[in-house]
mmCIF file of all heavy atoms in Angstrom:
data_model
loop_
_atom_site.group_PDB
_atom_site.id
_atom_site.type_symbol
_atom_site.label_atom_id
_atom_site.label_comp_id
_atom_site.label_asym_id
_atom_site.label_seq_id
_atom_site.Cartn_x
_atom_site.Cartn_y
_atom_site.Cartn_z
ATOM 1 N N SER A 28 1.551 8.757 -14.266
ATOM 2 C CA SER A 28 0.887 10.003 -14.641
ATOM 3 C C SER A 28 -0.585 9.928 -14.272
ATOM 4 O O SER A 28 -1.166 8.845 -14.165
ATOM 5 C CB SER A 28 1.039 10.248 -16.148
ATOM 6 O OG SER A 28 0.349 11.426 -16.545
ATOM 7 N N ASP A 29 -1.186 11.101 -14.107
ATOM 8 C CA ASP A 29 -2.616 11.219 -13.806
ATOM 9 C C ASP A 29 -2.963 10.541 -12.483
ATOM 10 O O ASP A 29 -3.970 9.828 -12.377
ATOM 11 C CB ASP A 29 -3.460 10.654 -14.949
ATOM 12 C CG ASP A 29 -4.763 11.427 -15.135
ATOM 13 O OD1 ASP A 29 -4.780 12.634 -14.843
ATOM 14 O OD2 ASP A 29 -5.761 10.817 -15.571
ATOM 15 N N LEU A 30 -2.131 10.779 -11.490
ATOM 16 C CA LEU A 30 -2.379 10.252 -10.145
ATOM 17 C C LEU A 30 -3.458 11.106 -9.486
ATOM 18 O O LEU A 30 -3.188 12.196 -8.978
ATOM 19 C CB LEU A 30 -1.082 10.273 -9.329
ATOM 20 C CG LEU A 30 -1.177 9.884 -7.853
ATOM 21 C CD1 LEU A 30 -1.766 8.493 -7.679
ATOM 22 C CD2 LEU A 30 0.188 9.990 -7.179
ATOM 23 N N LEU A 31 -4.682 10.611 -9.508
ATOM 24 C CA LEU A 31 -5.835 11.299 -8.932
ATOM 25 C C LEU A 31 -6.676 10.286 -8.168
ATOM 26 O O LEU A 31 -7.002 9.218 -8.689
ATOM 27 C CB LEU A 31 -6.692 11.946 -10.036
ATOM 28 C CG LEU A 31 -6.004 12.988 -10.925
ATOM 29 C CD1 LEU A 31 -6.895 13.339 -12.118
ATOM 30 C CD2 LEU A 31 -5.670 14.246 -10.128
ATOM 31 N N ASN A 32 -7.020 10.610 -6.928
ATOM 32 C CA ASN A 32 -7.920 9.776 -6.125
ATOM 33 C C ASN A 32 -7.405 8.340 -5.994
ATOM 34 O O ASN A 32 -8.176 7.376 -6.030
ATOM 35 C CB ASN A 32 -9.331 9.777 -6.720
ATOM 36 C CG ASN A 32 -10.380 9.271 -5.737
ATOM 37 O OD1 ASN A 32 -10.222 9.409 -4.523
ATOM 38 N ND2 ASN A 32 -11.443 8.682 -6.259
ATOM 39 N N TYR A 33 -6.100 8.188 -5.830
ATOM 40 C CA TYR A 33 -5.474 6.875 -5.709
ATOM 41 C C TYR A 33 -4.184 7.075 -4.928
ATOM 42 O O TYR A 33 -3.828 8.206 -4.563
ATOM 43 C CB TYR A 33 -5.193 6.303 -7.104
ATOM 44 C CG TYR A 33 -4.966 4.814 -7.158
ATOM 45 C CD1 TYR A 33 -6.007 3.918 -6.913
ATOM 46 C CD2 TYR A 33 -3.716 4.293 -7.481
ATOM 47 C CE1 TYR A 33 -5.813 2.547 -6.976
ATOM 48 C CE2 TYR A 33 -3.509 2.923 -7.548
ATOM 49 C CZ TYR A 33 -4.562 2.048 -7.293
ATOM 50 O OH TYR A 33 -4.359 0.694 -7.356
ATOM 51 N N ALA A 34 -3.472 6.012 -4.653
ATOM 52 C CA ALA A 34 -2.178 6.115 -3.970
ATOM 53 C C ALA A 34 -1.047 6.077 -4.975
ATOM 54 O O ALA A 34 -1.154 5.455 -6.037
ATOM 55 C CB ALA A 34 -2.021 4.969 -2.969
ATOM 56 N N GLY A 35 0.061 6.729 -4.641
ATOM 57 C CA GLY A 35 1.228 6.720 -5.506
ATOM 58 C C GLY A 35 1.879 5.348 -5.556
ATOM 59 O O GLY A 35 1.783 4.553 -4.626
ATOM 60 N N MET A 36 2.564 5.083 -6.664
ATOM 61 C CA MET A 36 3.261 3.810 -6.814
ATOM 62 C C MET A 36 4.725 3.958 -6.438
ATOM 63 O O MET A 36 5.371 4.940 -6.773
ATOM 64 C CB MET A 36 3.157 3.295 -8.258
ATOM 65 C CG MET A 36 3.697 1.875 -8.430
ATOM 66 S SD MET A 36 3.287 1.129 -10.027
ATOM 67 C CE MET A 36 4.677 1.688 -11.007
ATOM 68 N N TRP A 37 5.245 2.955 -5.721
ATOM 69 C CA TRP A 37 6.649 2.848 -5.354
ATOM 70 C C TRP A 37 7.171 1.528 -5.912
ATOM 71 O O TRP A 37 6.419 0.774 -6.538
ATOM 72 C CB TRP A 37 6.816 2.881 -3.835
ATOM 73 C CG TRP A 37 6.314 4.145 -3.175
ATOM 74 C CD1 TRP A 37 5.074 4.700 -3.301
ATOM 75 C CD2 TRP A 37 7.036 4.996 -2.283
ATOM 76 N NE1 TRP A 37 4.976 5.844 -2.536
ATOM 77 C CE2 TRP A 37 6.166 6.042 -1.903
ATOM 78 C CE3 TRP A 37 8.315 4.967 -1.755
ATOM 79 C CZ2 TRP A 37 6.554 7.058 -1.025
ATOM 80 C CZ3 TRP A 37 8.698 5.974 -0.872
ATOM 81 C CH2 TRP A 37 7.837 7.008 -0.521
ATOM 82 N N LEU A 38 8.432 1.233 -5.686
ATOM 83 C CA LEU A 38 9.027 0.028 -6.255
ATOM 84 C C LEU A 38 9.750 -0.803 -5.200
ATOM 85 O O LEU A 38 10.296 -0.276 -4.240
ATOM 86 C CB LEU A 38 10.048 0.397 -7.351
ATOM 87 C CG LEU A 38 9.562 1.173 -8.563
ATOM 88 C CD1 LEU A 38 10.740 1.488 -9.480
ATOM 89 C CD2 LEU A 38 8.483 0.406 -9.313
ATOM 90 N N ARG A 39 9.752 -2.109 -5.446
ATOM 91 C CA ARG A 39 10.663 -3.042 -4.790
ATOM 92 C C ARG A 39 11.200 -3.987 -5.856
ATOM 93 O O ARG A 39 10.545 -4.226 -6.873
ATOM 94 C CB ARG A 39 9.966 -3.848 -3.687
ATOM 95 C CG ARG A 39 9.542 -3.021 -2.480
ATOM 96 C CD ARG A 39 9.086 -3.918 -1.331
ATOM 97 N NE ARG A 39 8.499 -3.168 -0.233
ATOM 98 C CZ ARG A 39 9.188 -2.592 0.755
ATOM 99 N NH1 ARG A 39 10.514 -2.694 0.760
ATOM 100 N NH2 ARG A 39 8.589 -1.934 1.714
ATOM 101 N N GLY A 40 12.395 -4.515 -5.625
ATOM 102 C CA GLY A 40 12.983 -5.437 -6.578
ATOM 103 C C GLY A 40 12.528 -6.863 -6.341
ATOM 104 O O GLY A 40 11.880 -7.179 -5.332
ATOM 105 N N ASN A 41 12.886 -7.757 -7.303
ATOM 106 C CA ASN A 41 12.584 -9.175 -7.123
ATOM 107 C C ASN A 41 13.842 -10.045 -7.159
ATOM 108 O O ASN A 41 13.740 -11.278 -7.214
ATOM 109 C CB ASN A 41 11.575 -9.657 -8.169
ATOM 110 C CG ASN A 41 12.103 -9.573 -9.590
ATOM 111 O OD1 ASN A 41 13.291 -9.324 -9.825
ATOM 112 N ND2 ASN A 41 11.219 -9.766 -10.563
ATOM 113 N N SER A 42 15.019 -9.407 -7.151
ATOM 114 C CA SER A 42 16.327 -10.086 -7.167
ATOM 115 C C SER A 42 16.564 -10.894 -8.441
ATOM 116 O O SER A 42 17.519 -11.665 -8.516
ATOM 117 C CB SER A 42 16.479 -11.013 -5.942
ATOM 118 O OG SER A 42 16.380 -10.270 -4.745
ATOM 119 N N LYS A 43 15.715 -10.715 -9.437
ATOM 120 C CA LYS A 43 15.852 -11.450 -10.696
ATOM 121 C C LYS A 43 15.930 -10.509 -11.896
ATOM 122 O O LYS A 43 15.691 -10.913 -13.023
ATOM 123 C CB LYS A 43 14.677 -12.407 -10.866
ATOM 124 C CG LYS A 43 14.573 -13.479 -9.787
ATOM 125 C CD LYS A 43 13.343 -14.347 -10.004
ATOM 126 C CE LYS A 43 13.213 -15.395 -8.911
ATOM 127 N NZ LYS A 43 11.990 -16.233 -9.094
ATOM 128 N N GLY A 44 16.227 -9.249 -11.635
ATOM 129 C CA GLY A 44 16.318 -8.288 -12.720
ATOM 130 C C GLY A 44 15.033 -7.534 -12.994
ATOM 131 O O GLY A 44 14.914 -6.848 -14.003
ATOM 132 N N GLY A 45 14.063 -7.642 -12.086
ATOM 133 C CA GLY A 45 12.803 -6.943 -12.264
ATOM 134 C C GLY A 45 12.412 -6.140 -11.046
ATOM 135 O O GLY A 45 13.022 -6.255 -9.971
ATOM 136 N N VAL A 46 11.385 -5.309 -11.208
ATOM 137 C CA VAL A 46 10.823 -4.538 -10.105
ATOM 138 C C VAL A 46 9.306 -4.700 -10.128
ATOM 139 O O VAL A 46 8.716 -5.083 -11.141
ATOM 140 C CB VAL A 46 11.202 -3.050 -10.185
ATOM 141 C CG1 VAL A 46 12.696 -2.856 -10.008
ATOM 142 C CG2 VAL A 46 10.741 -2.425 -11.501
ATOM 143 N N LYS A 47 8.696 -4.390 -9.012
ATOM 144 C CA LYS A 47 7.236 -4.455 -8.935
ATOM 145 C C LYS A 47 6.713 -3.228 -8.204
ATOM 146 O O LYS A 47 7.381 -2.662 -7.335
ATOM 147 C CB LYS A 47 6.783 -5.724 -8.220
ATOM 148 C CG LYS A 47 7.179 -5.800 -6.761
ATOM 149 C CD LYS A 47 6.629 -7.068 -6.101
ATOM 150 C CE LYS A 47 7.014 -7.126 -4.617
ATOM 151 N NZ LYS A 47 6.475 -8.350 -3.967
ATOM 152 N N GLY A 48 5.510 -2.820 -8.566
ATOM 153 C CA GLY A 48 4.884 -1.699 -7.907
ATOM 154 C C GLY A 48 4.371 -2.074 -6.532
ATOM 155 O O GLY A 48 3.804 -3.158 -6.343
ATOM 156 N N VAL A 49 4.594 -1.206 -5.565
ATOM 157 C CA VAL A 49 4.024 -1.353 -4.226
ATOM 158 C C VAL A 49 3.392 -0.015 -3.852
ATOM 159 O O VAL A 49 3.752 1.032 -4.400
ATOM 160 C CB VAL A 49 5.073 -1.782 -3.180
ATOM 161 C CG1 VAL A 49 5.568 -3.185 -3.470
ATOM 162 C CG2 VAL A 49 6.238 -0.808 -3.140
ATOM 163 N N PHE A 50 2.458 -0.055 -2.897
ATOM 164 C CA PHE A 50 1.628 1.110 -2.651
ATOM 165 C C PHE A 50 1.416 1.348 -1.155
ATOM 166 O O PHE A 50 1.285 0.385 -0.389
ATOM 167 C CB PHE A 50 0.255 0.920 -3.318
ATOM 168 C CG PHE A 50 0.345 0.653 -4.791
ATOM 169 C CD1 PHE A 50 0.536 -0.641 -5.268
ATOM 170 C CD2 PHE A 50 0.264 1.686 -5.695
ATOM 171 C CE1 PHE A 50 0.634 -0.895 -6.622
ATOM 172 C CE2 PHE A 50 0.369 1.445 -7.053
ATOM 173 C CZ PHE A 50 0.556 0.153 -7.526
ATOM 174 N N PRO A 51 1.359 2.613 -0.730
ATOM 175 C CA PRO A 51 0.969 2.907 0.655
ATOM 176 C C PRO A 51 -0.544 2.723 0.791
ATOM 177 O O PRO A 51 -1.330 3.441 0.170
ATOM 178 C CB PRO A 51 1.380 4.373 0.824
ATOM 179 C CG PRO A 51 1.334 4.947 -0.556
ATOM 180 C CD PRO A 51 1.681 3.825 -1.496
ATOM 181 N N TYR A 52 -0.935 1.725 1.564
ATOM 182 C CA TYR A 52 -2.364 1.443 1.711
ATOM 183 C C TYR A 52 -3.056 2.564 2.503
ATOM 184 O O TYR A 52 -2.418 3.390 3.157
ATOM 185 C CB TYR A 52 -2.555 0.086 2.371
ATOM 186 C CG TYR A 52 -2.503 -1.068 1.376
ATOM 187 C CD1 TYR A 52 -1.445 -1.186 0.472
ATOM 188 C CD2 TYR A 52 -3.520 -2.014 1.321
ATOM 189 C CE1 TYR A 52 -1.398 -2.230 -0.448
ATOM 190 C CE2 TYR A 52 -3.486 -3.064 0.407
ATOM 191 C CZ TYR A 52 -2.423 -3.165 -0.479
ATOM 192 O OH TYR A 52 -2.384 -4.187 -1.388
ATOM 193 N N TYR A 53 -4.370 2.577 2.395
ATOM 194 C CA TYR A 53 -5.179 3.649 2.980
ATOM 195 C C TYR A 53 -4.929 3.756 4.487
ATOM 196 O O TYR A 53 -4.931 2.749 5.190
ATOM 197 C CB TYR A 53 -6.651 3.368 2.713
ATOM 198 C CG TYR A 53 -7.545 4.564 2.858
ATOM 199 C CD1 TYR A 53 -7.910 5.321 1.751
ATOM 200 C CD2 TYR A 53 -8.033 4.941 4.108
ATOM 201 C CE1 TYR A 53 -8.736 6.426 1.879
ATOM 202 C CE2 TYR A 53 -8.857 6.043 4.255
ATOM 203 C CZ TYR A 53 -9.201 6.785 3.138
ATOM 204 O OH TYR A 53 -10.007 7.884 3.274
ATOM 205 N N PRO A 54 -4.702 4.962 4.991
ATOM 206 C CA PRO A 54 -4.434 5.120 6.427
ATOM 207 C C PRO A 54 -5.646 4.745 7.292
ATOM 208 O O PRO A 54 -6.778 5.128 6.992
ATOM 209 C CB PRO A 54 -4.128 6.615 6.563
ATOM 210 C CG PRO A 54 -3.761 7.066 5.191
ATOM 211 C CD PRO A 54 -4.561 6.225 4.255
ATOM 212 N N LYS A 55 -5.374 3.991 8.343
ATOM 213 C CA LYS A 55 -6.413 3.639 9.316
ATOM 214 C C LYS A 55 -6.248 4.461 10.586
ATOM 215 O O LYS A 55 -7.223 4.969 11.150
ATOM 216 C CB LYS A 55 -6.344 2.147 9.641
ATOM 217 C CG LYS A 55 -7.454 1.644 10.547
ATOM 218 C CD LYS A 55 -7.366 0.133 10.732
ATOM 219 C CE LYS A 55 -8.506 -0.403 11.562
ATOM 220 N NZ LYS A 55 -8.435 -1.887 11.718
ATOM 221 N N LYS A 56 -4.993 4.587 11.031
ATOM 222 C CA LYS A 56 -4.688 5.415 12.192
ATOM 223 C C LYS A 56 -3.495 6.306 11.878
ATOM 224 O O LYS A 56 -2.544 5.870 11.213
ATOM 225 C CB LYS A 56 -4.377 4.547 13.413
ATOM 226 C CG LYS A 56 -5.541 3.740 13.944
ATOM 227 C CD LYS A 56 -5.140 2.940 15.178
ATOM 228 C CE LYS A 56 -6.305 2.117 15.712
ATOM 229 N NZ LYS A 56 -5.897 1.299 16.891
ATOM 230 N N LYS A 57 -3.523 7.552 12.359
ATOM 231 C CA LYS A 57 -2.432 8.502 12.138
ATOM 232 C C LYS A 57 -2.047 9.153 13.459
ATOM 233 O O LYS A 57 -2.897 9.333 14.336
ATOM 234 C CB LYS A 57 -2.851 9.567 11.114
ATOM 235 C CG LYS A 57 -3.109 9.020 9.725
ATOM 236 C CD LYS A 57 -3.619 10.085 8.769
ATOM 237 C CE LYS A 57 -5.044 10.465 9.079
ATOM 238 N NZ LYS A 57 -5.620 11.379 8.050
ATOM 239 N N GLU A 58 -0.772 9.489 13.559
ATOM 240 C CA GLU A 58 -0.261 10.151 14.756
ATOM 241 C C GLU A 58 0.417 11.452 14.352
ATOM 242 O O GLU A 58 1.233 11.477 13.429
ATOM 243 C CB GLU A 58 0.750 9.253 15.476
ATOM 244 C CG GLU A 58 0.191 7.946 15.984
ATOM 245 C CD GLU A 58 1.259 7.057 16.607
ATOM 246 O OE1 GLU A 58 2.428 7.527 16.673
ATOM 247 O OE2 GLU A 58 0.948 5.924 17.003
ATOM 248 N N LEU A 59 0.099 12.532 15.058
ATOM 249 C CA LEU A 59 0.728 13.815 14.804
ATOM 250 C C LEU A 59 1.965 13.960 15.681
ATOM 251 O O LEU A 59 1.885 13.840 16.918
ATOM 252 C CB LEU A 59 -0.247 14.956 15.089
ATOM 253 C CG LEU A 59 0.297 16.369 14.845
ATOM 254 C CD1 LEU A 59 0.699 16.557 13.388
ATOM 255 C CD2 LEU A 59 -0.731 17.419 15.268
ATOM 256 N N ARG A 60 3.092 14.194 15.043
ATOM 257 C CA ARG A 60 4.347 14.399 15.764
ATOM 258 C C ARG A 60 4.861 15.796 15.443
ATOM 259 O O ARG A 60 5.164 16.108 14.293
ATOM 260 C CB ARG A 60 5.374 13.342 15.361
ATOM 261 C CG ARG A 60 4.929 11.923 15.692
ATOM 262 C CD ARG A 60 5.924 10.878 15.265
ATOM 263 N NE ARG A 60 5.406 9.515 15.461
ATOM 264 C CZ ARG A 60 6.040 8.414 15.080
ATOM 265 N NH1 ARG A 60 7.240 8.525 14.484
ATOM 266 N NH2 ARG A 60 5.495 7.229 15.274
ATOM 267 N N GLY A 61 4.933 16.626 16.468
ATOM 268 C CA GLY A 61 5.323 18.011 16.247
ATOM 269 C C GLY A 61 4.187 18.794 15.633
ATOM 270 O O GLY A 61 3.009 18.475 15.824
ATOM 271 N N ASP A 62 4.535 19.820 14.877
ATOM 272 C CA ASP A 62 3.509 20.702 14.320
ATOM 273 C C ASP A 62 3.132 20.371 12.880
ATOM 274 O O ASP A 62 2.280 21.032 12.301
ATOM 275 C CB ASP A 62 3.958 22.158 14.412
ATOM 276 C CG ASP A 62 5.223 22.423 13.596
ATOM 277 O OD1 ASP A 62 5.804 21.458 13.069
ATOM 278 O OD2 ASP A 62 5.629 23.601 13.501
ATOM 279 N N ARG A 63 3.750 19.304 12.273
ATOM 280 C CA ARG A 63 3.503 19.086 10.845
ATOM 281 C C ARG A 63 3.598 17.641 10.376
ATOM 282 O O ARG A 63 3.122 17.331 9.286
ATOM 283 C CB ARG A 63 4.492 19.930 10.036
ATOM 284 C CG ARG A 63 5.957 19.524 10.228
ATOM 285 C CD ARG A 63 6.908 20.590 9.699
ATOM 286 N NE ARG A 63 6.837 21.771 10.524
ATOM 287 C CZ ARG A 63 7.564 22.867 10.332
ATOM 288 N NH1 ARG A 63 8.405 22.927 9.320
ATOM 289 N NH2 ARG A 63 7.445 23.909 11.128
ATOM 290 N N ASN A 64 4.217 16.768 11.135
ATOM 291 C CA ASN A 64 4.459 15.398 10.672
ATOM 292 C C ASN A 64 3.317 14.483 11.092
ATOM 293 O O ASN A 64 3.208 14.098 12.252
ATOM 294 C CB ASN A 64 5.784 14.866 11.229
ATOM 295 C CG ASN A 64 6.971 15.642 10.696
ATOM 296 O OD1 ASN A 64 6.936 16.186 9.598
ATOM 297 N ND2 ASN A 64 8.033 15.697 11.482
ATOM 298 N N GLU A 65 2.484 14.106 10.140
ATOM 299 C CA GLU A 65 1.374 13.208 10.403
ATOM 300 C C GLU A 65 1.775 11.814 9.917
ATOM 301 O O GLU A 65 1.811 11.539 8.719
ATOM 302 C CB GLU A 65 0.110 13.691 9.691
ATOM 303 C CG GLU A 65 -1.141 12.967 10.141
ATOM 304 C CD GLU A 65 -2.388 13.526 9.488
ATOM 305 O OE1 GLU A 65 -2.517 13.382 8.254
ATOM 306 O OE2 GLU A 65 -3.239 14.109 10.190
ATOM 307 N N ILE A 66 2.069 10.928 10.873
ATOM 308 C CA ILE A 66 2.603 9.600 10.578
ATOM 309 C C ILE A 66 1.465 8.587 10.546
ATOM 310 O O ILE A 66 0.612 8.570 11.441
ATOM 311 C CB ILE A 66 3.628 9.169 11.651
ATOM 312 C CG1 ILE A 66 4.686 10.270 11.874
ATOM 313 C CG2 ILE A 66 4.278 7.847 11.257
ATOM 314 C CD1 ILE A 66 5.547 10.553 10.696
ATOM 315 N N VAL A 67 1.453 7.734 9.529
ATOM 316 C CA VAL A 67 0.470 6.653 9.466
ATOM 317 C C VAL A 67 0.978 5.505 10.330
ATOM 318 O O VAL A 67 2.024 4.909 10.053
ATOM 319 C CB VAL A 67 0.256 6.183 8.021
ATOM 320 C CG1 VAL A 67 -0.725 5.011 7.989
ATOM 321 C CG2 VAL A 67 -0.262 7.329 7.155
ATOM 322 N N SER A 68 0.245 5.181 11.384
ATOM 323 C CA SER A 68 0.659 4.128 12.314
ATOM 324 C C SER A 68 -0.016 2.794 12.026
ATOM 325 O O SER A 68 0.455 1.743 12.464
ATOM 326 C CB SER A 68 0.372 4.554 13.756
ATOM 327 O OG SER A 68 -1.008 4.862 13.919
#
């Protein structure tokens, strides 16, 4: 909650019954594909 001025949290497992937060790091380079898809390269 209250995701402001930060990156969203995602999950990966640890194969031991737990999960951990992972994050999309700040974009350095982006590529535009088509008229709307801006991909972080």
Side-chain angles (χ1 to χ4, degrees):
S28 177
D29 214 30
L30 174 57
L31 300 170
N32 196 29
Y33 199 69
M36 188 168 88
W37 300 53
L38 300 177
R39 292 190 188 275
N41 64 10
S42 300
K43 298 178 181 179
V46 295
K47 65 177 181 180
V49 293
F50 303 86
Y52 276 51
Y53 199 96
K55 185 176 183 179
K56 293 181 180 178
K57 295 176 287 187
E58 298 176 3
L59 181 61
R60 298 179 186 175
D62 62 354
R63 64 194 69 179
N64 295 332
E65 192 176 66
I66 309 296
V67 177
S68 57

